[in-house]
Amino acid sequence: MATATRPPPPVPPLPRAVARPPRAAAVRHLGPNWYACVMGTAIVAGAGAVLPVRAPGLRPALTGVWALSLVLLLVLLAARALHWAHHRDRARAHLLDPAMAPFYGCLSMALLAVGGGALSLGRDWTGLRAAVVLDAVLFTAGTAVGLAAAVAVPYLMTVRHRVTAEQATPVWLLPLVAPMVSAALGPHLVPYLPAGQPRATLLLACFAMFGLSLMATLVTLPLVFGRLMTGGPLPLALTPTLFLVLGPLGQSTTAAGAFADVAPGVVPAPYDAGFGVLAVLYGVPVMGFALLWLCLAAAHVVRARRRGMRFAMTWWSFTFPVGTCVTGAGTLAARTGLLAYDVLTFALYALLAGAWATAAWHTARGLFSGALPAGPAPALPGPRPATARTR
């Protein structure tokens, strides 16, 4: 009698692997703060263009640095598009994080800085017409993003983030200073518009953004200074962000000089001459305060370094804000004719170049090692909860 064989149990289907492109996984923790790399690289080129020297090979080298910033911008725009497409949970978390949301202002300033460099340096390689078009496109996009960030980020901070005065850091200034960058770079496009209403409209629109950013900075900066005076030094990783305060100071001085350069023939007298007076009477005291803050921030950084501060992406705060002080000092040198401002321009640019080289080296090393894109390390397991019987 033949024995019946039991059929083998069905093999359960293998679970389907979640398909995720490697590039999408690599950008999961890519935040808007990475645009600081573009800003810092572009300002090295833009600030170098205002140096009162015409050394052989300097301008082609600066144009090459600008081209690098353009490449970085395109790469980051593509990577951030992947981030939003594949990791919207992280993107929403960045918006709802009071420590990360202000960095959305960096996108605006990255677009504006690269666009401004196209007109001042990139024209040597692309031609004037292409440079004007590129600058106009990036200026329009950067200004729109900057104005949106200047409204949206403070709104989120008031209704969703629930921040306190003890949490105030210079990072809060990032979305507020973006319109000031538009104010400083927009006047360079004025001569390429039709004479009359278009030129005057753009110039006064930039002047309005100057006031918008300046007033917002004046109400926010006391919170940052008060936090330092009453709460003590910032955490080590955030200490470099003290340099961010230099951004609105140097950029507003640069903007005032840019208004004075293009005002004659655009706005009627005596307002055209008034812009020239404003450039000096505003820029000199503000640059003085910028130097005071530079010394204060540098002292905090030296203290933090002695206490073990290691590299973080916040080190890019050493670049763009210092670069705005270079352009501001260059503006005052041209307006006043004082040798002291020429010396200050060179000294600040040397500091900028060293800061950029340091930040770029550590960033490249972190990228190749995989440490920077890896995201935050998992938290260490805590003690197991225990229950005790009470009598």
Side-chain angles (χ1 to χ4, degrees), residues 3-378:
T3 59
T5 59
R6 181 176 297 177
V11 179
L14 294 174
R16 298 180 62 184
V18 178
R20 176 173 291 175
R23 287 179 299 176
V27 300
R28 175 165 177 78
H29 300 286
L30 185 71
N33 56 321
W34 277 80
Y35 286 111
C37 302
V38 180
M39 297 163 52
T41 304
I43 200 65
V44 169
V50 306
L51 292 175
V53 64
R54 295 294 180 265
L58 176 61
R59 187 172 176 88
L62 295 175
T63 306
V65 175
W66 168 80
L68 175 61
S69 71
L70 177 60
V71 172
L72 290 175
L73 176 64
L74 296 176
V75 170
L76 272 176
L77 288 174
R80 287 286 294 167
L82 282 174
H83 176 82
W84 272 95
H86 295 277
H87 306 290
R88 293 186 181 180
D89 60 325
R90 293 299 306 159
R92 294 191 186 98
H94 287 162
L95 281 172
L96 298 179
D97 183 359
M100 184 62 72
F103 284 99
Y104 274 89
C106 291
L107 169 59
S108 167
M109 291 184 279
L111 294 168
L112 292 166
V114 175
L119 197 55
S120 61
L121 293 166
R123 61 194 293 176
D124 295 349
W125 291 0
T126 66
L128 178 60
R129 181 179 180 84
V132 171
V133 171
L134 179 59
D135 188 16
V137 171
L138 294 180
F139 173 79
T140 302
T143 299
V145 172
L147 292 175
V151 175
V153 174
Y155 175 80
L156 288 174
M157 293 177 69
T158 55
V159 303
R160 297 294 298 273
H161 292 168
R162 298 293 188 271
V163 295
T164 62
E166 291 75 14
Q167 296 173 289
T169 69
V171 174
W172 289 8
L173 294 171
L174 286 174
L176 306 178
V177 74
M180 187 66 78
V181 181
S182 294
L185 296 176
H188 299 301
L189 285 169
V190 168
Y192 301 99
L193 292 177
Q197 290 281 335
R199 293 185 180 181
T201 299
L202 178 57
L203 176 58
L204 293 183
C206 291
F207 193 39
M209 288 187 286
F210 172 92
L212 179 159
S213 181
L214 180 61
M215 295 299 107
T217 299
L218 289 178
V219 299
T220 305
L221 186 55
L223 297 176
V224 177
F225 190 71
R227 156 65 180 81
L228 288 176
M229 298 300 293
T230 60
L234 295 176
L236 296 184
L238 288 178
T239 301
T241 63
L242 289 172
F243 276 70
L244 294 177
V245 176
L246 299 175
L249 303 176
Q251 199 67 273
S252 60
T253 303
T254 305
F259 301 151
D261 290 340
V262 301
V266 175
V267 294
Y271 304 112
D272 55 350
F275 277 115
V277 174
L278 174 68
V280 176
L281 295 186
Y282 173 86
V284 170
V286 169
M287 186 56 62
F289 180 70
L291 293 177
L292 169 66
W293 192 273
L294 175 62
C295 295
L296 175 65
H300 275 266
V301 169
V302 170
R303 174 190 176 276
R305 188 65 174 164
R306 289 177 175 175
R307 283 162 173 75
M309 182 184 72
R310 301 176 64 85
F311 173 75
M313 290 300 292
T314 52
W315 282 32
W316 283 97
S317 303
F318 298 140
T319 56
F320 190 81
V322 175
T324 66
C325 292
V326 174
T327 57
T331 295
L332 292 177
R335 286 276 154 191
T336 63
L338 293 178
L339 180 61
Y341 282 115
D342 285 330
V343 174
L344 179 61
T345 303
F346 279 113
L348 289 173
Y349 190 79
L351 177 62
L352 168 63
W356 177 84
T358 303
W361 165 255
H362 284 284
T363 302
R365 189 172 65 173
L367 282 173
F368 284 115
S369 67
L372 285 179

